[in-house]
Amino acid sequence: MFHIYNGESLRFSQNGYKESAWFREGLTNYLALCALKEAKLITINEENLQIKKHAELYRDYQTKSKKDENISYHLGFFMAMTLDQHLRQSSQNKLHLTGFWRFLATSSLWEREHDNDSLGLAIELYSGLNYRDFIRRYAENSETLPIERLFISN
């Protein structure tokens, strides 16, 4: 249900529509998993299986010459996880991606037509942190997101 709500009610610019699929697809999948975890509707093992599935599909995509149209689900999932972890670490857990989504959904920004630049600006308005370069580098798939770093504890 969340996937339909986020993907259909938030408007996206036709210019850059493909590049913003990470947000519509991957971020939505990530936040849906977070909601299931918070509501205790999945176990840690089920959560880990979902993460592992996204990781395997993302790695497969990186090693194949044939590019999968569904990469935005997997790349976007890990972009969202990266953003969430960085927001939390930068704010002592006061900021997080769920909070950003609530901010976006309850602000006048929701009524805008979005692309990666406006999404980056929205995250900056919420957090005071600039993620626009991060979004450009990975959403346009010019660089491989180093997902293994997400699982290394400091």
Side-chain angles (χ1 to χ4, degrees):
M1 222 186 230
F2 177 69
H3 196 89
I4 291 170
Y5 181 76
N6 194 43
E8 299 298 324
S9 64
L10 190 61
R11 297 178 320 150
F12 290 88
S13 170
Q14 289 305 307
N15 182 22
Y17 186 81
K18 182 179 177 184
E19 291 81 5
S20 63
W22 73 273
F23 189 91
R24 289 188 311 281
E25 309 300 349
L27 179 132
T28 301
N29 280 345
Y30 176 76
L31 287 179
L33 186 65
C34 290
L36 290 170
K37 180 181 169 184
E38 187 176 315
K40 297 182 180 9
L41 294 174
I42 60 169
T43 65
I44 189 74
N45 288 340
E46 292 168 323
E47 176 189 20
N48 288 338
L49 283 173
Q50 287 297 310
I51 294 169
K52 182 180 177 186
K53 177 187 83 168
H54 283 289
E56 288 171 353
L57 291 168
Y58 183 65
R59 283 193 192 112
D60 285 350
Y61 172 82
Q62 295 302 324
T63 59
K64 291 182 182 174
S65 59
K66 181 181 176 191
K67 298 301 181 183
D68 180 3
E69 289 298 315
N70 293 321
I71 189 58
S72 56
Y73 286 89
H74 316 302
L75 170 63
F77 182 89
F78 288 110
M79 285 180 66
M81 182 182 275
T82 302
L83 287 169
D84 193 32
Q85 286 184 3
H86 192 268
L87 285 168
R88 290 175 186 278
Q89 289 169 355
S90 298
S91 67
Q92 299 177 330
N93 281 327
K94 293 177 184 159
L95 300 174
H96 43 80
L97 209 51
T98 305
F100 164 69
W101 189 86
R102 287 182 187 132
F103 165 80
L104 182 62
T106 58
S107 75
S108 62
L109 294 170
W110 191 262
E111 302 303 319
R112 272 186 77 164
E113 199 171 76
H114 289 284
D115 59 17
N116 282 335
D117 287 333
S118 66
L119 293 169
L121 177 61
I123 295 170
E124 189 172 344
L125 290 171
Y126 167 71
S127 67
L129 302 168
N130 185 337
Y131 291 103
R132 285 181 263 183
D133 184 55
F134 170 81
I135 292 169
R136 277 189 216 104
R137 284 173 38 211
Y138 298 114
E140 293 171 9
N141 210 23
S142 59
E143 292 185 39
T144 301
L145 185 65
I147 62 173
E148 62 280 349
R149 291 184 187 166
L150 292 169
F151 307 104
I152 299 170
S153 59
N154 296 329

